[in-house]
Amino acid sequence: MNLKLIVLAIAVGFAPTSHSAGFYLKEQSIVSQGAAFAGAAARTDAASSVYFNPAGIASMQSQFEGGFHLLMPDQTVTGTQPIGALSTSAQEPLKNSTVPNVYYTQPIGSGVFGFGISAPFGSKNEYDDNFIGALDSYKTKLKTVDYSFAYAKQVSDDVRLGASLVYQTADIEQGKLVSSLLIGSSSTSTATLKGDSTEFGLTLGMQIDLDSGGVLGVAYKKGTKQEIKGTNTVSVDFGLPVPGVGAIPIAAGTYNAGGKLNLPSMLSVSLIAPISDSTNLMFDVTRYGWSSYEKLAVTTDWGGLLGSQVSEAAQNYSDTTAFSLGAEHDYGNGYAARAGVHLDPTPTNDTDRSYSTPDGDRTWLAFGISKTTDSGTTWDFAYTRIQVDKTNLNREVTDGVFAQATAESTFDILSVGVRIPLE
C-alpha cells in the first residue's frame, strides 16, 4: 500500500458535495458512518478517533485507517418566480463526488500519537448562468482539508484524555451573475471570487469507562476563522451603481479581493452502552455553533474612484443540535454489523437561504458491516440514505428583488474502508 499516494489523493484529489446540514461533511470514518455516527466520540477501536475524539486513541496500538465515501446526490432546484428574461427551469446543481480520509496511530512513550487527513467542510454546485439563482450563486466550490496531529493518554484506569492540533487549509471559488436588469448596464457580467487561506484549530477530548462496561465520550472542536485572500474576476465591462453618483464603470479584469469564512465549533457527547456480550446501543448528541456564520463579506479593490468596496451576503445561520441513535452487534467469526438513524437539522432559514446551500432538515438512515480477517485487518462497508425536507428559497439579490425557488433533495452514500494493524 503506497501511503504517499493516498495522502496526496486526499490532499488534492477530491471535490466534495455537502451532505451534512449546512456545508459540513461528517463522512470522516466508515465504521462510524455505518452507525450514523452514534457513539463516534466514544469509540476506542478506530484511528479515526483522531478526528471525532482524540481521547479514543489512548489505548490503541499502531493502526492505519483509510477509506472513501462515494457521494451520490439527487437534487432539483426549480424557480417559482421569473426575474426579467432569466430562466426558472429546473436545475440539478450537484454531481457525484468522493470524500477520502486517512488516519494513523502509534504508541509513543506513555501515550499514543495520531495523525489524520480529512475534509470536514466542502460543497460544489453549479447552475446555468441564465438561471434566476445565478444572481446569488451560479457556481460554488469550497474545500477544506484538516491535517490533525493528536496525542492521547490513559490518565487513570477509567479516564482517557486527548487533544489534536489541526492545520486547516481552505480553498474557495464562488461566482455570481451581475445582471443588466439589476445594475442598469447594457451588458451582463459574471463576478468570480477565488481564494485560499490557512488556519489552526484545536480538538479536545475525554473518555470515561463506566461501571456498566460502557464508554462515555466528550469532544470539543474549536471553530476556525479563515481569512480568504484571492482575486475577483469580472467577465464583461459593467457599471456599478453608487448612490448620488450614478453608475461608475468597472472594466473586465481581475482585481485583488478577500473575505472571511467563519466555520462552526462542535461539542459532541457520545455513549456506547452494552446490552449483552455481543450487542451495544450507541448514542450521540452534537451541538454546532453555526451562528458564527452570519454573513459572507467580500472586499474587492476596484481601484480608481471606487477603491476598496465591501459586498456582504447575509447567511444568518443558527446553532443546531443533531442526534444519533444506533446499535452494533458482533456475530463472531470476524463479522460485525451496525445501523443507525441521525436527525440533522439545517442551520439555514427561509429568508437567507443561499443557492450555494439550498439546505433543509435531514434524516439519515445508515447500515454498515465489518469483516476482520485472520491477519487482523478489518474491512468496513457502509450505506447511507439521506432524506432532505423540501425547502424554499427566497433570496434577496438586490433591493426589493427576490430569487425564489424550491429545492428537493435526497442523497446516497457508499463507503468502503480498511483498518490495518501495523504491529
Side-chain angles (χ1 to χ4, degrees):
M1 181 177 296
N2 192 324
L3 296 185
K4 183 176 179 180
L5 290 179
I6 293 174
V7 170
L8 181 63
I10 290 172
V12 301
F14 66 93
T17 297
S18 176
H19 278 68
S20 292
F23 47 90
Y24 176 49
L25 294 164
K26 201 164 187 174
E27 298 86 353
Q28 305 304 326
S29 165
I30 285 75
V31 64
S32 292
Q33 181 86 17
F37 312 106
R43 298 199 76 97
T44 59
D45 60 347
S48 50
S49 290
V50 166
Y51 178 83
F52 288 103
N53 183 353
I57 69 172
S59 59
M60 290 185 61
Q61 297 302 308
S62 184
Q63 184 189 90
F64 168 82
E65 178 182 353
F68 290 86
H69 306 265
L70 175 61
L71 315 179
M72 297 173 288
D74 182 5
Q75 183 178 80
T76 302
V77 180
T78 306
T80 57
Q81 181 66 41
I83 299 177
L86 297 178
S87 171
T88 59
S89 62
Q91 305 281 298
E92 295 182 357
L94 302 179
K95 293 180 172 60
N96 291 356
S97 58
T98 301
V99 174
N101 27 70
V102 63
Y103 306 95
Y104 169 75
T105 60
Q106 175 64 51
I108 295 179
S110 60
V112 177
F113 168 79
F115 175 70
I117 305 178
S118 54
F121 295 95
S123 63
K124 182 182 180 181
N125 57 18
E126 187 168 357
Y127 300 92
D128 293 341
D129 59 12
N130 66 343
F131 179 60
I132 59 168
L135 294 168
D136 177 53
S137 173
Y138 77 88
K139 177 191 294 185
T140 299
K141 291 173 65 177
L142 168 66
K143 176 179 69 176
T144 68
V145 178
D146 280 8
Y147 301 87
S148 299
F149 302 85
Y151 188 76
K153 188 174 181 179
Q154 188 93 31
V155 297
S156 72
D157 290 342
D158 301 326
V159 178
R160 293 174 291 279
L161 298 177
S164 289
L165 178 65
V166 181
Y167 178 72
Q168 184 181 83
T169 66
D171 292 274
I172 187 170
E173 177 181 350
Q174 185 164 30
K176 65 187 299 183
L177 180 68
V178 184
S179 171
S180 58
L181 174 69
L182 304 182
I183 63 177
S185 171
S186 60
S187 61
T188 296
S189 182
T190 58
T192 303
L193 173 71
K194 288 185 178 181
D196 54 42
S197 176
T198 62
E199 185 58 276
F200 283 96
L202 181 67
T203 304
L204 301 175
M206 176 178 68
Q207 289 184 342
I208 302 173
D209 294 331
L210 306 177
D211 292 341
S212 63
V215 178
L216 176 68
V218 180
Y220 173 75
K221 288 183 175 294
K222 181 180 179 293
T224 54
K225 297 181 179 180
Q226 294 285 357
E227 297 278 349
I228 306 295
K229 301 294 184 182
T231 58
N232 195 352
T233 300
V234 177
S235 65
V236 178
D237 296 352
F238 72 95
L240 191 66
V242 176
V245 177
I248 294 180
I250 298 294
T254 298
Y255 301 84
N256 291 330
K260 295 182 179 180
L261 179 64
N262 293 334
L263 300 174
S265 62
M266 304 175 205
L267 177 63
S268 298
V269 179
S270 290
L271 175 66
I272 296 179
I275 58 175
S276 73
D277 291 341
S278 56
T279 304
N280 292 324
L281 286 180
M282 302 180 292
F283 308 88
D284 182 85
V285 179
T286 298
R287 180 70 171 174
Y288 297 94
W290 278 113
S291 58
S292 63
Y293 190 46
E294 298 179 25
K295 60 186 177 183
L296 186 60
V298 176
T299 301
T300 302
D301 185 3
W302 299 113
L305 293 176
L306 283 177
S308 294
Q309 186 183 57
V310 179
S311 174
E312 295 185 352
Q315 305 297 324
N316 291 322
Y317 277 31
S318 299
D319 294 345
T320 62
T321 303
F323 300 89
S324 296
L325 171 65
E328 186 173 59
H329 183 76
D330 185 350
Y331 286 93
N333 296 320
Y335 288 96
R338 57 194 66 88
V341 59
H342 179 53
L343 304 180
D344 194 15
T346 180
T348 65
N349 63 76
D350 289 346
T351 300
D352 300 303
R353 183 173 292 117
S354 171
Y355 282 78
S356 64
T357 314
D359 190 35
D361 293 343
R362 302 172 182 232
T363 301
W364 301 51
L365 297 175
F367 172 77
I369 58 174
S370 296
K371 168 59 178 176
T372 302
T373 66
D374 292 341
S375 67
T377 295
T378 299
W379 291 93
D380 298 310
F381 305 89
Y383 166 74
T384 306
R385 174 74 169 182
I386 305 174
Q387 181 66 49
V388 185
D389 288 353
K390 183 177 180 180
T391 54
N392 297 315
L393 295 100
N394 188 33
R395 186 74 166 171
E396 187 173 18
V397 290
T398 193
D399 292 343
V401 179
F402 294 83
Q404 299 177 342
T406 60
E408 298 182 80
S409 313
T410 59
F411 300 92
D412 293 288
I413 306 173
L414 292 177
S415 307
V416 180
V418 63
R419 289 174 280 166
I420 304 173
L422 300 180
E423 293 182 350

